[in-house]
Amino acid sequence: MKILVTLPVHDRHKTALKAAAPQAEFFFTPPGEVTDEQLGEVAAVIGNISPSRLRGFENIRWVQLNSAGTDGYTDAGVLASGAVLTNSTGAYGLAISEHMIGQLLMQIKRLGQYYDAQKKKAWSDFGTVGSIWNSTTLVVGLGDIGGEFARKMKALGSHVIGIRRHMGERPDYLDEAATLDELDELLPRADFVALCLPGTGATWHLFDESRLRQMKKGAILLNVGRGTAVDSYALCEALHSGHLGGACIDVVEPEPLPKEHPLWEAPNLLLTPHVSGFYHLPETFERVVRIAVANLEAFGAGRPLKNQVDLAVGYRRNEDDNKAL
C-alpha cells in the first residue's frame, strides 16, 4: 500500500504515520510538487491538493483532508466511485472559537476604539459597553467549531441556543436546541448570532437582507464558516443603517475582499482575512495529524474511518451528539 502525505510534517509526525501503517510506502510531498505518477500509484492521500488533480485516479480509495471544509472535493467525478472522503473536523474548534471570543469581546468592550485612541495619545472615554453575561447567543451550525463556541459562551454566562440539522438529546452546553426551520423565529431573540456553516447550496446567502433585518436591533453577527452564507452587500447596509450593532467576520464573499468593496468602510465591523483556522495555532496542526494517524490505522485494518463526509451534502456524517449543520 502506498500513501501520499502532503501535510508539512516533521520527523515525529512521519514516525507516527509510519507506525500507523508499518507495511505502507510513503511519499511525503508538498501539494504543489505532487506528480501524476504518484497519484497513479497511491491508495490514499493525506492532506489537501486541488480537487481537479484527483480526477481520473481510480486507485485512490481514501482522501483525508487537512481542512474541515470540503469545497470542491464532493463534486461529481472528483473521487473514484466508492472512495471515502474524511475531513479534519475536531481539529479547528479550539482555535476558531477562541478567535470568535476575542473578536466579540473587542467589539462589545470597544477595545478597537480605545486602541485607536491610544495611537493618537488621546485619553478618551467611549461610554457604556456590553457583556456576554445575561445575553442570548444563537449558534447556527453545531459541529466542532460551533459546539466549542457554544461551550465558551455558556461558561461566560450567556443563554445559548444551538441550531443543527437533526434534533436529538440536547447537549449540556446548550440551553435550547432547534433546527433550521426555527431560525426565523429565533433571530429576534439573539444578542449574538454565530454562523459556523459549511459552504453548500443550502447555506448560500442564508443570511440575506431579509434575515439580517430579522435580527434583533443592535445584535452582533459572527461568521467563521464560509463567506457565502452572508450577502456581503446586505451586511454592509445593515451596518451602515445601524440595525446591527456590529459584525465579527473571518470569512467573506468574495475572498480576498477587493479593495473597492464597500464592506471595508462599514462601521462597527471587525474583519480578519480567513485566519482563525489553518495552522496559526500550532495545536491545530497537531490535532490534524492525530486525526490522520487514527484514520490511517483504521484504513489499514479495514475499520470504519472517523469524520467520513457525506458526498451528497458536503459535510461530515453525524457522529454521536456532535451534529454539524
Side-chain angles (χ1 to χ4, degrees):
M1 181 170 64
K2 296 182 179 181
I3 308 293
L4 171 64
V5 179
T6 69
L7 303 177
V9 289
H10 299 297
D11 287 343
R12 57 189 173 84
H13 302 127
K14 293 179 181 179
T15 298
L17 288 163
K18 289 177 179 178
Q23 305 304 318
E25 178 183 347
F26 286 84
F27 300 115
F28 293 99
T29 309
E33 299 176 16
V34 172
T35 66
D36 286 348
E37 181 179 1
Q38 288 175 323
L39 290 174
E41 295 180 12
V42 299
V45 177
I46 297 176
N48 292 28
I49 60 174
S50 172
S52 63
R53 293 294 313 278
L54 298 173
R55 289 182 181 274
F57 294 102
E58 299 295 320
N59 49 292
I60 298 176
R61 311 311 305 160
W62 166 46
V63 175
Q64 169 69 57
L65 300 178
N66 55 260
S67 61
T70 62
D71 307 45
Y73 292 94
T74 60
D75 292 351
V78 171
L79 299 182
S81 177
V84 175
L85 178 69
T86 56
N87 68 5
S88 287
T89 292
Y92 293 91
L94 172 64
I96 297 179
S97 65
E98 288 184 344
H99 186 98
M100 296 167 75
I101 294 290
Q103 283 189 312
L104 181 57
L105 286 172
M106 188 170 179
Q107 281 274 20
I108 65 176
K109 300 302 183 184
R110 300 182 183 274
L111 299 182
Q113 290 175 271
Y114 284 111
Y115 181 67
D116 289 341
Q118 172 192 327
K119 291 189 291 183
K120 298 174 184 176
K121 302 179 182 179
W123 192 265
S124 303
D125 186 329
F126 294 106
T128 59
V129 298
S131 179
I132 293 175
W133 175 80
N134 206 30
S135 66
T136 297
T137 300
L138 178 63
V139 182
V140 187
L142 210 65
D144 171 49
I145 296 166
E148 284 295 318
F149 180 69
R151 287 184 180 92
K152 289 176 173 61
M153 292 298 284
K154 183 172 177 61
L156 291 169
S158 188
H159 180 92
V160 181
I161 307 168
I163 287 183
R164 56 188 183 183
R165 283 188 299 130
H166 303 291
M167 286 300 294
E169 184 177 352
R170 176 173 57 84
D172 58 7
Y173 55 83
L174 293 183
D175 295 291
E176 300 178 48
T179 55
L180 195 58
D181 57 6
E182 300 171 78
L183 175 61
D184 291 337
E185 62 187 82
L186 291 171
L187 281 176
R189 294 177 51 192
D191 300 291
F192 312 123
V193 177
L195 308 184
C196 308
L197 298 164
T200 69
T203 63
W204 185 84
H205 284 194
L206 184 66
F207 275 68
D208 55 10
E209 181 182 3
S210 174
R211 285 255 164 70
L212 292 171
R213 284 181 177 176
Q214 288 180 61
M215 289 176 61
K216 184 178 185 179
K217 183 172 175 56
I220 292 178
L221 178 73
L222 301 95
N223 188 17
V224 295
R226 287 294 182 267
T228 53
V230 179
D231 182 331
S232 58
Y233 290 98
L235 175 60
C236 190
E237 174 58 30
L239 290 168
H240 275 290
S241 71
H243 179 71
L244 290 187
C248 306
I249 59 176
D250 185 53
V251 291
V252 69
E253 180 192 35
E255 291 185 8
L257 192 66
K259 292 184 183 298
E260 65 275 10
H261 199 288
L263 201 57
W264 286 112
E265 304 298 329
N268 300 316
L269 172 68
L270 184 55
L271 167 65
T272 51
H274 208 150
V275 294
S276 63
F278 195 55
Y279 306 143
H280 293 88
L281 180 67
E283 172 60 18
T284 299
F285 183 70
E286 299 301 322
R287 294 183 178 198
V288 168
V289 173
R290 288 198 290 270
I291 291 169
V293 167
N295 269 345
L296 178 56
E297 186 175 358
F299 181 70
R303 300 195 305 269
L305 308 185
K306 289 184 64 65
N307 288 357
Q308 286 196 38
V309 174
D310 186 334
L311 300 181
V313 293
Y315 40 81
R316 190 187 61 161
R317 295 171 181 168
N318 296 329
E319 297 175 6
D320 304 317
D321 66 344
N322 188 20
K323 298 175 172 63
L325 184 73

